[in-house]
Amino acid sequence: MIDLIPKPLILKEGYGAFFINSTVKAFCDKKILPTISKLFYDEVAKILGFQIATAKESEAQLKFLIAEDLKEEEYKIEITSESATVWVSGQGGAVNAVSTLKQLFSMGLIKSASYLSAPAVFIHDKPFYEMRGLLLDVSRHFFTKDEVKRLLNRMADYKLNTFHWHLTDNQGWRVEIKKYPELTKAGAERSGSQWLAWGKPNAKDDIPRAGFYTQKDITEIVAYAKDLNIMVIPEIDMPGHFASALTAYPELSCDGKGFSEIPLSYLEGNLNGVACLGSEKIYEFTYAVIDELVKLFPAPYFHIGGDEVFKRNWKNCPHCQETIKAHGLDGELGLHGFFNNRVATHLKKNGKRMICWNEVLKCGGILKDIVAQYWTPLRDKHAETALNAGRKIIVSKHSSFYFDMPHAYVGLNRTYNFKVEDINLTNDEGGILGITGALWTEWVKDEDRLNFQLFPRLFALAETGWTCPKQKDYKSFLKRLPYHLSVLKGDLVTFAPKEIWDKRDLKGMAKFLKADAHYEYNKIKRETRNEKHEGN
């Protein structure tokens, strides 16, 4: 069995194997040469200690060719005992083909060797969903450029092509905006965290949290991702989840007071961290932020959040009530929709399409080209109606794709076996752009914890996004998984152990929510330490 993840569309095993050694010569079409050189030739050289020699196409045994009839992310690979040939139409297919070649040649496991070998095989492969994404929240806990790049590398290795970068929230503003410098002075530092659980709002540590990305950092990471065929979509959360901005610029709040410091409690930030939509100041601010950021992110999408917007401040705000009356809006829901449409229109002028979380569909009357990202745990009939009416949907269903949740709740099988039909959606008209896993970081303070939450669920996410649903098989996936776990182990990357992947534990989930969000991680780490101690 060939242990590829995600599973290809067509795979036919042959006889024999192809070897890359000092005698092999390679040819690559110049259109994709930069990608192949960086992602394959250079990686092979690190293992073998020499660069593969190049030659004319007719003299090469290893070939990377252009096939114009293939779609952007589609590729073909044919390996015999005498040659290996790859066909793609451009960079996207080249990146995806390389991710498969690296698995075929077992490059993830081999650090040094005199040759590499891959089994004879024919593969024709293309993605089921256009968008296959992962969200990283850097507001609650900040991650460095190098940590983000390592995550992007893992994503590319498994054909994930969208990085949803949650840059702002109540607990931190992580991107430089030159017109509003206080956002990263007052809005990017807090004195501690509500560290134990959602149900323990008073359990706060005194460890300062800080960090942000300069615009130069953003440009560097976006370029790095582009080389990996990964589109970066920024999320600037508004008008709720806005406390960090209100700490920096209190005049954007309904009472003009904002926050004296970033709220550490999740509850306090959510209830009061809402912008005043009855003042033109918020539109001036929003447009200025967008105008700076659209220059840094070439993706055609821009996410503004829009979830969990508590509207009680608007009920008591004379400016908000005046705006509702002046524009004939349907109360506070109408005011929220009014804001969404104004921002979407401004984004459209900048060549961007707006994404919001699916709660905005309750507003009614929002522009049809606004994309809804469906996350909420309970059934959302608004999302079903919107999809049937032609609106585009991204699926991030809480019970399958929220990787901040314990493995005891979002088990590996729940991620892998997800079907859009299970939430009363259908992709018959191609209305579902794709799926995105989400890693919120209220309780994820470092890269080790990040990896524990992500793996091996990221592999299941990748196959669910890439592979045709009719071809998916969980038992087959589990049989292919050991190689990929061995790669993680060889790279000293933490992952959740097998015994908790699919162990449903509702009592544990209750503990996570009410008492200790770290119970699962700490238990496993303690057991690991004990095993090492006993082994000594």
Side-chain angles (χ1 to χ4, degrees), residues 58 79 88 107 182 215 239 249 263 274-275 352 373 434 504 531:
S58 59
I79 296 176
V88 300
M107 290 168 62
E182 289 299 315
Q215 294 194 5
Y249 294 96
V274 180
K352 307 293 183 183
Q373 188 161 353
R504 194 81 167 142
E531 287 173 6

Side-chain angles (χ1 to χ4, degrees), residues 134-138 141-144 147-152 154-155 163 213 403-405 407 438-441 443-458 493-496 521 525:
L134 180 69
L135 176 154
L136 177 64
D137 164 21
V138 295
H141 282 92
F142 180 76
F143 290 86
T144 67
E147 289 170 333
V148 171
K149 287 178 180 179
R150 283 193 286 273
L151 179 58
L152 291 170
R154 296 286 175 195
M155 290 174 61
F163 180 52
Y213 307 98
F403 299 149
D404 56 315
M405 294 290 110
H407 294 265
L439 183 56
W440 304 100
T441 60
W443 328 114
V444 180
K445 68 176 183 178
D446 56 32
E447 194 174 16
D448 188 75
R449 179 65 180 273
L450 178 147
N451 288 329
F452 180 85
Q453 297 301 131
L454 276 184
F455 296 105
R457 293 187 288 200
L458 182 138
V493 174
T494 297
F495 57 89
Y521 175 74
K525 299 299 282 188

